[in-house]
Amino acid sequence: MSHAPSPAGPSNETRPLRAPAVRAKTAARPGRGGAALVTGASSGIGAAVARRLAAEGGWRLALNGRDVTRLEQVAAQAGAVALPGDLTRPGADRRLAGLALDHLGRLDLLVAGAGLGWAGDFTGMPAARIDEIVGVDLLATVHLVRTVLPHMVAAGSGRVVLIGSLAGSVGVRGEAVYSAAKAALATFADCLRYELGGTGVGVSHVIPGVVATPFFDRRGTPYARSWPRPVSAERVADAVCAAVLHGRDEVYVPGWLRLPARVRGAAPGLYRRLAARFG
């Protein structure tokens, strides 16, 4: 059964979120069950993750997205609570985390799947779209993680899964701001792992290539390349669940995409020449 409170709006709420008082020193993973919050869950990867976690069994789910109707449909399929709202609005991170804790009692897993794209020359990109891409793909996630982490650290266990993009690993022509936001998210994931060592809280960075979702239609430019071929959102959801179950730090989907990322890291000049020639 799902519930749909009013979309998250500005909040001046300053009370601390409820969290256990005892902090564990040894690592623990959510494994095959617990309480999970998934953002971007009204469609695409987020919706697929919600359905996959529900199919696993043992998970109590809270789902966030901006499209109330679609979010309600996904929540009904997954037996989850729907918490619609725009995470770019001031105070939305605290409101969402508070509602999720009220419904679930604790948070063992956060899957940050909300994201937007835009394609075209950077010089022709509207300023408002720059702010929107950075706001949704980076800032909203950073603020939500900042709100949720103290609860997990106090509990001594938990996992944050950040949905990145190959664009953030290698940079993609015509997607300068999107690539930059996803690259920042990758560095954010690395930094968090260093800080959270010994707390029992892990961070997974799931890095898909092209995924067959409405993402490309919504950005205004459909995906037209013949290679690499898109993978399904369900395949990415499987990777998310595997990362949670096995405590993996970084997962590429499909796995061979790790190769271009490594080539760029080891021989950036060569990679840039190849990218300039073949796109």
Side-chain angles (χ1 to χ4, degrees):
M1 180 177 179
S2 62
H3 308 272
S6 300
S11 171
N12 293 320
E13 185 81 39
T14 58
R15 66 179 177 84
L17 298 177
R18 290 183 290 106
V22 179
R23 172 175 165 174
K25 297 295 184 181
T26 57
R29 294 198 295 267
R32 292 188 178 274
L37 171 61
V38 182
T39 68
S42 56
S43 66
I45 293 172
V49 169
R51 290 190 291 264
R52 182 68 169 78
L53 290 173
E56 281 279 306
W59 288 98
R60 292 175 293 113
L61 302 172
L63 310 181
N64 168 260
R66 296 198 289 186
D67 188 306
V68 178
T69 301
R70 287 204 306 259
L71 186 69
E72 282 285 338
Q73 293 171 349
V74 176
Q77 295 170 354
V81 57
L83 303 175
D86 182 350
L87 288 177
T88 64
R89 298 179 67 179
D93 56 314
R94 294 193 59 82
R95 178 175 172 80
L96 176 60
L99 288 171
L101 286 168
D102 286 343
H103 283 283
L104 303 178
R106 58 181 289 131
L107 281 176
D108 302 295
L109 173 65
L110 168 64
V111 180
L116 292 174
W118 191 89
D121 291 341
F122 175 66
T123 54
M125 187 175 186
R129 292 294 283 167
I130 295 174
D131 293 342
E132 186 178 21
I133 297 300
V134 175
V136 173
D137 293 359
L138 178 61
L139 295 180
T141 294
V142 169
H143 284 299
L144 183 59
V145 171
R146 174 64 183 85
T147 302
V148 168
L149 268 185
H151 174 84
M152 291 183 176
V153 171
S157 65
R159 181 156 292 268
V160 173
V161 179
L162 304 176
I163 305 298
S165 170
L166 182 66
S169 299
V170 300
V172 174
R173 178 186 297 170
E175 298 182 35
V177 176
Y178 176 75
S179 297
K182 290 299 187 180
L185 201 65
T187 302
F188 178 59
D190 283 338
C191 295
L192 284 183
R193 281 190 212 101
Y194 303 146
E195 291 188 20
L196 295 171
T199 67
V201 181
V203 179
S204 295
H205 184 209
V206 176
I207 308 162
V210 183
V211 185
T213 71
F215 173 90
F216 292 97
D217 292 331
R218 290 176 189 156
R219 75 175 186 176
T221 306
Y223 184 74
R225 296 181 182 180
S226 60
W227 184 88
R229 299 184 65 179
V231 300
S232 68
E234 287 71 24
R235 185 168 176 181
V236 182
D238 288 343
V240 169
C241 288
V244 174
L245 180 61
H246 301 292
R248 293 172 180 163
D249 289 344
E250 187 175 81
V251 182
Y252 282 84
V253 188
W256 67 264
L257 289 179
R258 185 179 297 273
L259 177 60
R262 286 181 172 175
V263 171
R264 185 188 181 281
L270 171 63
Y271 180 85
R272 292 188 188 104
R273 287 194 296 273
L274 291 173
R277 180 175 179 181
F278 298 107

